[in-house]
Amino acid sequence: MTKSTNQTAPTERTQLQRLDDRQDWRQKQWNRRNRNAAWLIEEARQQAKNTGTAFIKPMRPARCGWPIGRPTIQLVNGKASIRNLEHCASPWCCPICATIIRAKRAKDLQKAIQMWMEQSHGLAFITLTRPHTKTERLDTGMDTVMGAWSSLIASQRWRTVKASLGIEHWCRSTEVTWNPRSGWHVHIHVLAFTLKPHPDCEAIKQELFGLWNAELERRGTRPASKKHGIIVLPVETTPGRISSYINKAPDRIGSELTRMDNKRGRKNSIAPFQLLDQPVIDRLGENRARRLWLEYVHTTSGQHSMSLSRKLRIELIGGEEQTDRQIIDGTNGGDEILDIPAAAYRQLKREPSVMAFIMSRVETGEIPLAIDIINDVK
């Protein structure tokens, strides 16, 4: 019998508080994007110098936010954003694009979860990991984990296990953290859609344990431990020992699975976007933080952050699956409010706190004040 825990429901934020939250979020994410761009541009300059090349184009996330026309503030459902900018559409290493992409993926997944639960079925939350060393490169860990998962789901044994355990659909996301004591840590989260409303988590764990370790050993890595290598938990319960890590209520599990852009590292671990924050840079030193961040950017480039089983979208979400680029392009189309002169935008881009304040003023309808601030930019 699962021991219940008393959890206080979060206090509903007022409209003004949500506006302030959004302003703080914009300032933080734009600061991160600026630092990301600075490090990637410096890397390209250094590569050009080392190779005797006149110019090497920086990676696309470095160019995210560059104007490709006159920047225009628009309102979409009451929220301000800027159109006519270049967007990298990276779900991994862009503080802006990752948020938009992963929020859309979470919304789609939440739709599937709601429909599945309304049909009196169940959900199980699975975490798959592996032993790693402090000196292991991130690309080694990523290739091992992603390759093991791909081979696992392609095997006949997996199809047999799915049928016997009543796993009808699944959704996979990948999470990366770094720890000063143990290095890079790549692990997979899987949401299993089970026919039974109360899945047999122990049976799922036992079956997956053998399959997962067989794939790891095939790739020359040590097997996962029974205690930490595989964790399987029912979504309908929130045991106290794990409630601080993840809220498994069905109305939140979609975001927990997809919104790695919101994650913070546990204990001494660091989530990748935190490498762009000044407190972490001060703690690690800028050279080390920059090296780790660039390793993360290069390793995740071209990787799929999330995948669904073949019938999940068809049966529970509907419609064609959008690419990351299509999700980003779909954010344009709001009501155009005001243009920002190119010179003013370039200056405001370097001052996220001012730009975030302007966006908030547009959302509150204080357009003349927003215009005055833009006109005052030198």
Side-chain angles (χ1 to χ4, degrees):
M1 181 177 179
T2 302
K3 184 179 179 180
S4 63
T5 57
N6 294 324
Q7 296 190 17
T8 304
T11 304
E12 182 69 22
R13 305 286 285 173
T14 66
Q15 184 174 353
L16 182 59
Q17 287 173 324
R18 289 195 296 270
L19 186 69
D20 289 341
D21 290 344
R22 203 150 55 237
Q23 180 174 327
D24 292 342
W25 175 87
R26 287 186 176 118
Q27 181 176 340
K28 181 177 183 178
Q29 300 303 76
W30 288 342
N31 272 319
R32 285 175 166 179
R33 183 169 66 177
N34 286 350
R35 179 162 281 122
N36 179 25
W39 285 352
L40 288 173
I41 290 170
E42 177 58 31
E43 179 191 45
R45 287 174 177 165
Q46 191 61 46
Q47 289 173 343
K49 180 179 178 180
N50 293 342
T51 58
T53 307
F55 174 75
I56 291 180
K57 197 173 186 179
M59 294 182 69
R60 192 159 190 170
R63 311 192 302 274
C64 196
W66 289 8
I68 51 176
R70 170 160 287 200
T72 301
I73 299 179
Q74 62 177 2
L75 277 177
V76 180
N77 297 324
K79 295 181 181 179
S81 58
I82 305 175
R83 63 192 305 173
N84 300 328
L85 302 179
E86 183 169 349
H87 290 289
C88 64
S90 170
W92 291 97
C93 57
C94 176
I96 306 301
C97 293
T99 302
I100 297 169
I101 292 166
R102 290 179 180 270
K104 177 62 169 66
R105 304 289 187 207
K107 184 178 179 181
D108 285 350
L109 183 57
Q110 204 59 55
K111 178 182 177 181
I113 291 168
Q114 182 176 350
M115 184 176 295
W116 190 249
M117 299 298 280
E118 287 175 352
Q119 296 172 9
S120 299
H121 297 312
L123 299 168
F125 188 83
I126 304 166
T127 300
L128 301 170
T129 186
R130 59 177 279 272
H132 60 283
T133 64
K134 181 179 180 179
T135 58
E136 183 178 87
R137 291 168 52 92
L138 177 57
D139 57 1
T140 299
M142 183 72 79
D143 290 347
T144 300
V145 169
M146 298 292 277
W149 172 254
S150 296
S151 294
L152 187 155
I153 60 174
S155 67
Q156 179 59 47
R157 178 60 182 160
W158 166 247
R159 289 190 283 272
T160 301
V161 167
K162 273 202 315 172
S164 65
L165 295 174
I167 298 176
E168 192 74 4
H169 310 291
W170 55 263
C171 173
R172 183 275 308 162
S173 72
T174 305
E175 185 174 358
V176 177
T177 57
W178 182 84
N179 188 294
R181 296 182 60 185
S182 55
W184 289 110
H185 177 48
V186 184
H187 50 287
I188 285 177
H189 294 308
V190 179
L191 186 65
F193 292 68
T194 62
L195 293 173
K196 294 180 179 180
H198 304 288
D200 187 342
C201 291
E202 187 58 34
I204 295 174
K205 179 176 181 177
Q206 290 302 321
E207 292 286 0
L208 276 179
F209 183 74
L211 287 172
W212 183 241
N213 274 337
E215 295 299 338
L216 293 179
E217 291 173 359
R218 189 172 290 119
R219 283 159 178 76
T221 188
R222 289 178 294 154
S225 69
K226 283 189 175 182
K227 183 177 181 181
H228 301 294
I230 297 182
I231 299 172
V232 183
L233 300 164
V235 169
E236 73 267 21
T237 60
T238 51
R241 67 184 180 87
I242 54 169
S243 61
S244 62
Y245 171 58
I246 185 170
N247 177 357
K248 294 206 181 29
D251 62 346
R252 290 290 306 280
I253 194 69
S255 292
E256 292 292 349
L257 191 73
T258 59
R259 296 301 305 277
M260 301 310 166
D261 55 298
N262 276 342
K263 294 285 187 175
R264 295 176 60 88
R266 299 168 59 204
K267 297 183 180 179
N268 291 325
S269 292
I270 297 170
F273 279 127
Q274 291 180 278
L275 292 167
L276 300 172
D277 296 338
Q278 195 60 50
V280 172
I281 293 171
D282 292 341
R283 176 176 144 201
L284 299 181
E286 184 168 351
N287 288 338
R288 190 183 197 187
R290 180 173 58 242
R291 176 180 59 79
L292 290 168
W293 175 254
L294 293 177
E295 182 181 1
Y296 172 77
V297 172
H298 285 285
T299 300
T300 57
S301 178
Q303 296 274 8
H304 291 288
S305 61
M306 176 180 163
S307 62
L308 310 175
S309 57
R310 188 168 57 89
K311 292 184 178 181
L312 176 55
R313 173 166 292 277
I314 297 173
E315 297 182 4
L316 297 179
I317 299 175
E320 293 291 329
E321 182 172 3
Q322 291 182 297
T323 64
D324 295 334
R325 169 57 57 186
Q326 287 171 331
I327 291 173
I328 291 297
D329 291 345
T331 59
N332 289 325
D335 297 325
E336 296 186 5
I337 304 301
L338 59 92
D339 293 337
I340 306 176
Y345 174 77
R346 285 193 292 271
Q347 181 62 34
L348 288 168
K349 189 173 180 292
R350 295 192 287 268
E351 301 179 24
S353 61
V354 179
M355 192 71 245
F357 183 79
I358 291 172
M359 301 289 273
S360 292
R361 301 291 67 78
V362 170
E363 289 175 342
T364 57
E366 300 171 271
I367 312 299
L369 177 56
I371 294 174
D372 285 346
I373 296 172
I374 293 171
N375 290 338
D376 285 343
V377 173
K378 304 300 182 182

